[in-house]
Amino acid sequence: MTPDSVPPAVLPQWHLLPNGLRLGFIQLPAGSQAAALVRVNAGAHDAPGEYPGLAHFLEHLLFLGSQAYAPTQSLMPFVQGCAGQLNASTRERHTDFFFQVPAAAFGEALKRLLDMLARPLLDPAAQLREREVLQAEFLARGRDRETLCDAAIGTALSCAHPFSGFHAGNRETLPVEAPAFQKALTGYHQRFYQTGQMKLLVAAPFSLEQVLELLQSDECQLPVAPNVARPIQPLRADDGGTLRLSVDGARPYLDIAFALDGLPDEACVALDVLGSWLSSQADRSLFQTLSDAHWCDAVSLRVPYWHDGQGVAVLEVQLTERGMAERAQIVAAVRDWLHFMSTQAAWSELWGEYAQIRQRGLMGKEPLALLRYWIDPAAWTPSIDTNRVQQALEMLGAQLHASRPIVLTVDGEGCARTKRIEPVKAGFELDLVAEQLPPSDRTGWQWRLPERNPWLSERMQPGVAALQIPSLRWVEHADAAGQGVLYLRWRFAAGQPPAGLWHTLHAALRRHAIAAAQAGVELHFDDHGHSWCLRLCGYAEALPVILRDLTDILKAPSPAAFNEGHRLRYESVTSGADEILIRQLLRRLPLLLAGAARDGDASLDQHALDQAWHQSHWDTLAVGLPRHLSGPLQTVLAELPGLAGPGAGQYDESTLRYCWSRFGQPGVETALVLFCPLPLRTTFIEANWRRLARLMEGAFFRRLRSELQLGYAVFCGYRQFGECPGIVFAVQSPSASASEILAHIETFLDGFAGTLDEVAAADPSTGNHDGDLRRRAESLWQAHLAGFEGDHPEAVAAASANLDARAIRAQLQALRDAEGGWHVVANAEAPDRRWHRC
C-alpha cells in the first residue's frame, strides 16, 4: 500500500439485509469510538405542499421520546451523558440522523436511534413546544445570508420547482392543532421512515456479526416497505436574471448561480472536482487572478441542492469595494474559467491532484466524519470510473457554458423600494430588486491550472534526533495510523501584543489553511488574549513541512495581510451577519478571561509585529508523530519567531466575582454566555466539575429549550477557554431579555440541586474516552495550558471513577456561589449592580 493509498479499513462494505435495509459497515481498530448514521431518502421537497416545514418539524419531534424510551432516557440525553456527539439534518431530498459515542455505549445508542425513527411518541404537547423552537430557528434563518440568497435565487427559476419554495417551517405553516396536519405528519412518517427508504452506516471497533445481532433486537426493528418512487420536476433558469439583495450587516458578495438538470450520476463528483480546484489560492488560480485585480477576498463553491442529476451550483465571490464596480468582469472571468476547466485543462492533472486530496482527506477521519463522507453521492472512491467522471465533467461544462446564470449581488445596503420583486412562497422576507450590472470592458483571460499543492508531496529529510529543545514536549501514541498533532503557543508580556496583529496573521494564514486541509492537515490559529496558539492536526509526514513554510509567513506576512488585519480588527468589535451571535460571544470569552488590553490605536505594521515576536516566548507539544520526524521538527522549531520557553505568564486577571462584558447592540435576538471557572485548579475539583457538567447538559437543554422555548441555540458543558477551564451556559433567544435568560439559568441551577442525586444515580457514565489520538492530544494540551503536569488527564480519569454525590453537590454549590467567578458576555447591559463591567 502506497503512503497515500486509502486504508481498506475506511471503506464501507455494503450489505442488503433481508428486511430491505442497506447496511454499510466499517470495522475500526480496537480503542476507536463508534458511530452510526441513518439516511432517510426523503426530505423537505417530499413534504405536503400545504404544510411547509413538516419534514424539518418531524426531524425535531423524533428526538422527543419513543415507545421504548421516555424523553429523559432517549437518544439525546443518553449520548450527552456519554460525552458523545449527535445531530440531524433535513435537506431537500434526504434526512440524516447520526451519533458518535464510546464503543461500550454503541448498542444502547443504536437501539434508541432506530426506535425513535420507527416508533416516535409525537406527543401533542411536545409538538406545541417544539413548534416554538422552529419559530425561533425560522427567525434566525431569516437573517442568515446564505438562506436568504438561496431564497432569492429560487425566485429566478423559469419553471415551478420545489427549490423555489419555502421549507423551513414556522408557527403559521405548522398547525399542529389541526387533525388534517396530524394526519399529514403521521402519513409522511409512515410513507418514508421504512427500510426501503433508509440506509444505515456503522463504523465501530467490532465485527459485522455483532452489528447484525444487535439489529435483531426489538428496539432496532424498522417498518418494512419498498422504495417510494417520486417524480422529479424540471429545474431551469432559462433567462437567468440579475438581482440585488440587501441583508443587514452583510459584507458584499456576488453569487453566480447555475440551474443544472439531466446530468449523469457522476456529475456530482465532477462538480466536486471543480470545487476542489476552485478552492485553490495558489498562483494562477481563479482566486489569485481576481485577488490580484483587487476584486475579491474569497471564492468558494456552494451546492445548496443536488438530487438525481439536477441541482443548483453557486460560485460565491466575496467582493472588495473595487470588485463591486467590476461585477460584470468577475462574472465573465468566472464563466471563462469554468469553460477552461471543463474543456481545456489537462484531465490527468485535474484528476490526479483531486484524487490525492480525497485520499489524504480520508486518512485520520473520526468515525462519524467517515460516515458523513461516504453517504455523500459526491464521495470519491478508489474504484470510481474516471472515464465516466471525465465525460460527466464535459457534459457539466457544456451546461455551464450554454446557460445564463442567475447573478445575485448581496450587501448591507437597503434596496430601493421601486422595482421590488415579490417572491412567490419565499417564506422569508426578501429585500430584493432586479438590477443591471454596471458596464465593463471585456478582458482576455489566459488561464492555466494553478500550481500544484506542494504539501501533498514534499517531505523533509527524515532523521531521529535527541530532544534538545526544552520547550518541546514529545508524546508517543500507539496506533496513531500516520496521524499527528502539533500545538504551539506564543506567550506575551502584559499589554502585548497590540490589537490587530493576531487578525493580520489570521488573514495571512487563512489562505494556507485550504492548502493544508487538502494535504490532510487541519490548521487553527487562536487568540487567547496574551497568547496565540497554532494547532496542526492530521497527516504526520506533512506537519514539519507545513510548519516550516508557515514560519516565514508568521514572521513577515504580506502587505495585503496587514490591510486585511485592519478590517478584521474593526469587524471584531462589531457583530456580523455571517455568523450566529452566540458564536461571536464564545470567541470573545478567552480575551475577557485573560484580561487582555486591547489598544485600538496601536499601529499594525511589520515593525510592531517584529517587536511582539521579540518579546514572546513559545512552547510546543507534539503527540503521535513518528520518531523519524523528531529531527526535522526540531530543525523547523529552531527557526520560529520568539524565544523558546514558557514565559512568565503572569497577567492582571480580574479578581471580581461578577464580570459583565457587552458585545454588540441589542437586536431582534438576545444572546448571553455565562462562564463559571473552576474555583481551584485541582484534579479532584476538575473531575467533579466535568461530571457535574455532563449531568446538567441534557437537563439544561430540555428545560430552557424544550420547556421554556427560549430559542434553538441552547447548551451547557465543560469547556476550556484559553488557559481557563470551567462550565459554560449559552442561550440565544428571540423572546427573552438578558436579565430573563440569566434568571432562567440561576433558577435552573437552584432546581437542579434538588434533583442532583436522582440524576447522578441514572448517569450512564462510561469512564475516560481519551484513547484516540485527537482526544488524547487535546486533553494533554488543555492540561498544559491550564498549568497542570503531563499526567493530569489520567489523574482526572482516576478521580472520576471514585466520585460520590456529596462531592458533586458541594461543587454545584460552589458554582452557584460563584466561588470561581461568573463571567458574562451578552449583547445587552448588565441587569443589576452586582455586575462589574469588564
Side-chain angles (χ1 to χ4, degrees):
M1 185 171 66
T2 64
D4 279 349
S5 61
V6 177
V10 305
L11 297 172
Q13 302 300 314
W14 287 97
H15 308 269
L16 182 62
L17 304 186
N19 64 358
L21 179 69
R22 289 200 67 202
L23 169 67
F25 178 67
I26 301 173
Q27 185 167 359
L28 300 176
S32 301
Q33 291 211 327
L37 183 152
V38 171
R39 168 156 291 186
V40 181
N41 288 313
H45 290 187
D46 302 297
E50 61 269 33
Y51 300 121
L54 183 146
H56 183 206
F57 186 52
L58 178 61
E59 173 220 305
H60 280 237
L61 296 178
L62 295 178
F63 284 96
L64 304 181
S66 61
Q67 286 186 16
Y69 301 98
T72 56
Q73 301 298 320
S74 62
L75 180 66
M76 184 173 292
F78 179 83
V79 172
Q80 290 170 339
C82 296
Q85 53 181 305
L86 82 164
N87 212 332
S89 171
T90 300
R91 295 299 305 269
E92 292 77 13
R93 289 287 185 173
H94 66 259
T95 307
D96 291 342
F97 301 84
F98 42 87
F99 67 78
Q100 181 172 307
V101 294
F106 177 77
E108 288 301 316
L110 185 65
K111 290 178 181 179
R112 284 164 168 80
L113 172 61
L114 297 186
D115 193 62
M116 81 182 203
L117 297 182
R119 291 166 290 277
L121 294 180
L122 302 181
D123 176 62
Q127 289 189 41
L128 288 170
R129 293 193 298 268
E130 201 64 22
R131 182 175 63 180
E132 296 308 303
V133 174
L134 260 72
Q135 174 69 12
E137 188 173 339
F138 162 74
L139 294 174
R141 292 182 66 182
R143 296 182 295 277
D144 175 68
R145 177 180 55 81
E146 283 191 8
T147 297
L148 298 179
C149 284
D150 291 345
I153 290 167
T155 67
L157 297 181
S158 53
C159 59
H161 189 276
F163 182 79
S164 63
F166 172 63
H167 303 286
N170 58 30
R171 193 181 293 131
E172 282 68 39
T173 70
L174 302 169
V176 299
E177 305 89 344
F181 176 83
Q182 292 300 319
K183 182 178 180 180
L185 182 69
T186 56
Y188 179 91
H189 177 260
Q190 292 168 1
R191 186 183 186 201
F192 295 118
Y193 280 69
Q194 40 88 355
T195 56
Q197 291 290 125
M198 289 184 177
K199 294 178 183 177
L200 168 64
L201 277 81
V202 171
F206 34 75
S207 68
L208 172 64
E209 288 70 25
Q210 289 173 289
V211 176
L212 294 175
E213 182 179 355
L214 179 61
L215 290 174
Q216 296 303 312
S217 64
D218 291 341
E219 298 88 346
C220 292
Q221 299 308 302
L222 297 167
V224 178
N227 178 59
V228 179
R230 288 149 291 165
I232 303 297
Q233 296 166 261
L235 178 65
R236 297 198 309 271
D238 301 330
D239 299 326
T242 308
L243 308 171
R244 185 158 185 164
L245 175 70
S246 176
V247 178
D248 287 344
R251 291 195 60 196
Y253 277 84
L254 182 68
D255 279 7
I256 307 168
F258 296 88
L260 306 168
D261 204 350
L263 291 168
D265 291 342
E266 293 80 7
C268 56
V269 181
L271 194 59
D272 192 47
V273 173
L274 283 179
S276 176
W277 283 92
L278 179 72
S279 67
S280 172
Q281 298 192 2
D283 290 342
R284 304 197 302 263
S285 65
L286 174 64
F287 168 81
Q288 190 65 52
T289 301
L290 300 181
S291 179
D292 287 348
H294 304 289
W295 291 348
C296 83
D297 291 324
V299 180
S300 60
L301 174 69
R302 290 195 302 114
V303 185
Y305 167 64
W306 187 273
H307 176 70
D308 199 20
Q310 66 173 207
V312 176
V314 182
L315 281 87
E316 195 164 74
V317 182
Q318 191 179 98
L319 297 171
T320 63
E321 185 176 349
R322 188 180 301 182
M324 278 291 291
E326 297 292 347
R327 284 170 287 158
Q329 279 277 54
I330 294 172
V331 173
V334 167
R335 299 197 67 188
D336 201 55
W337 181 85
L338 289 170
H339 184 64
F340 163 78
M341 292 294 292
S342 58
T343 62
Q344 301 173 38
W347 169 251
S348 59
E349 292 184 50
L350 277 181
W351 183 256
E353 181 157 336
Y354 169 78
Q356 193 175 3
I357 290 168
R358 289 292 169 261
Q359 289 169 345
R360 185 69 61 79
L362 282 170
M363 303 172 71
K365 278 188 182 295
E366 287 199 316
L368 181 55
L370 273 177
L371 302 186
R372 299 192 71 182
Y373 175 83
W374 289 120
I375 199 66
D376 192 333
W380 169 91
T381 65
S383 60
I384 197 167
D385 188 329
T386 59
N387 291 328
R388 291 180 63 87
V389 177
Q390 183 180 9
Q391 294 168 7
L393 178 64
E394 293 171 355
M395 296 176 64
L396 173 64
Q399 278 204 26
L400 292 171
H401 185 65
S403 62
R404 294 185 61 186
I406 301 165
V407 179
L408 173 69
T409 302
V410 56
D411 60 13
E413 301 294 329
C415 297
R417 294 295 169 183
T418 57
K419 299 184 179 178
R420 180 169 308 283
I421 294 174
E422 296 296 339
V424 178
K425 295 183 181 179
F428 300 105
E429 183 178 345
L430 301 178
D431 195 357
L432 182 69
V433 297
E435 71 163 4
Q436 293 296 319
L437 293 183
S440 184
D441 296 333
R442 278 183 166 270
T443 299
W445 306 98
Q446 301 296 322
W447 300 108
R448 291 185 294 166
L449 282 177
E451 291 184 352
R452 291 182 61 84
N453 185 344
W455 293 341
L456 282 165
S457 55
E458 188 176 354
R459 300 288 179 271
M460 295 184 69
Q461 186 66 33
V464 178
L467 301 181
Q468 299 176 341
I469 300 178
S471 58
L472 165 63
R473 184 180 172 210
W474 184 283
V475 179
E476 306 282 354
H477 186 85
D479 302 320
Q483 302 294 294
V485 187
L486 183 64
Y487 296 92
L488 279 157
R489 172 178 58 167
W490 287 269
R491 305 183 87 182
F492 302 91
Q496 288 285 334
L501 283 181
W502 177 84
H503 293 291
T504 294
L505 296 179
H506 177 67
L509 293 174
R510 186 167 54 185
R511 63 175 297 186
H512 300 281
I514 295 172
Q518 291 182 339
V521 174
E522 298 174 12
L523 187 162
H524 297 275
F525 186 57
D526 298 316
D527 184 6
H528 293 164
H530 292 300
S531 66
W532 297 337
C533 289
L534 176 69
R535 175 167 68 98
L536 299 175
C537 175
Y539 188 60
E541 298 291 338
L543 297 184
V545 176
I546 294 176
L547 181 59
R548 180 200 66 192
D549 294 346
L550 294 182
T551 297
D552 293 336
I553 296 164
L554 290 168
K555 289 179 177 177
S558 67
F562 281 102
N563 293 334
E564 180 76 351
H566 278 284
R567 182 182 64 79
L568 292 175
R569 179 177 65 176
Y570 169 76
E571 291 183 353
S572 71
V573 296
T574 60
S575 57
D578 288 346
E579 185 178 36
I580 186 173
L581 181 57
I582 203 82
R583 290 178 184 156
Q584 299 177 56
L585 302 187
L586 289 166
R587 201 171 55 248
R588 293 188 66 79
L589 254 181
L591 309 181
L592 169 67
L593 296 168
R598 289 302 177 187
D599 181 5
D601 297 326
S603 60
L604 294 187
D605 54 26
Q606 186 63 50
H607 176 71
L609 181 59
D610 292 340
Q611 289 295 106
W613 284 134
H614 181 70
Q615 299 178 49
S616 70
H617 293 76
W618 61 264
D619 53 346
T620 184
L621 169 68
V623 183
L625 275 69
R627 271 287 169 178
H628 67 259
L629 295 181
S630 58
L633 178 60
Q634 291 186 91
T635 299
V636 174
L637 292 175
E639 299 300 318
L640 287 178
L643 300 174
Q650 297 298 318
Y651 310 121
D652 296 328
E653 297 187 13
S654 173
T655 58
L656 297 173
R657 177 163 288 189
Y658 296 99
C659 292
W660 189 288
S661 176
R662 174 175 166 176
F663 173 75
Q665 299 297 322
V668 178
E669 294 197 335
T670 300
L672 181 144
V673 173
L674 166 63
F675 182 65
C676 308
L678 270 63
L680 291 173
R681 297 188 186 183
T682 69
T683 298
F684 176 76
I685 287 180
E686 180 176 330
N688 275 279
W689 278 54
R690 285 183 178 273
R691 178 82 177 277
L692 176 61
R694 193 171 70 247
L695 294 175
M696 288 192 297
E697 184 177 0
F700 183 79
F701 182 87
R702 285 194 302 275
R703 178 57 182 160
L704 272 73
R705 182 185 183 272
S706 299
E707 297 175 13
L708 295 176
Q709 301 152 24
L710 294 188
Y712 72 97
V714 174
F715 68 90
C716 78
Y718 188 91
R719 299 288 190 276
Q720 183 165 318
F721 295 93
E723 300 173 0
C724 190
I727 294 177
V728 65
F729 302 87
V731 178
Q732 182 164 329
S733 174
S735 57
S737 66
S739 61
E740 290 170 336
I741 292 172
L742 186 63
H744 284 306
I745 295 174
E746 294 186 89
T747 301
F748 166 80
L749 291 173
D750 293 343
F752 189 76
T755 61
L756 177 60
D757 292 350
E758 178 185 349
V759 174
D763 176 35
S765 178
T766 52
N768 181 35
H769 313 308
D770 291 333
D772 70 275
L773 173 67
R774 294 181 184 228
R775 282 175 178 74
R776 184 184 181 209
E778 188 63 21
S779 64
L780 287 169
W781 183 243
Q782 288 192 2
H784 178 71
L785 291 179
F788 293 112
E789 297 298 325
D791 62 350
H792 179 71
E794 289 76 14
V796 171
S800 299
N802 298 298
L803 297 179
D804 58 45
R806 183 168 58 181
I808 299 173
R809 192 182 310 113
Q811 292 309 311
L812 173 59
Q813 188 61 47
L815 185 153
R816 294 168 64 197
D817 291 341
E819 290 186 10
W822 277 18
H823 298 263
V824 167
V825 190
N827 64 329
E829 295 292 351
D832 53 63
R833 297 181 63 182
R834 69 170 163 160
W835 296 94
H836 299 271
R837 184 158 188 144
C838 301

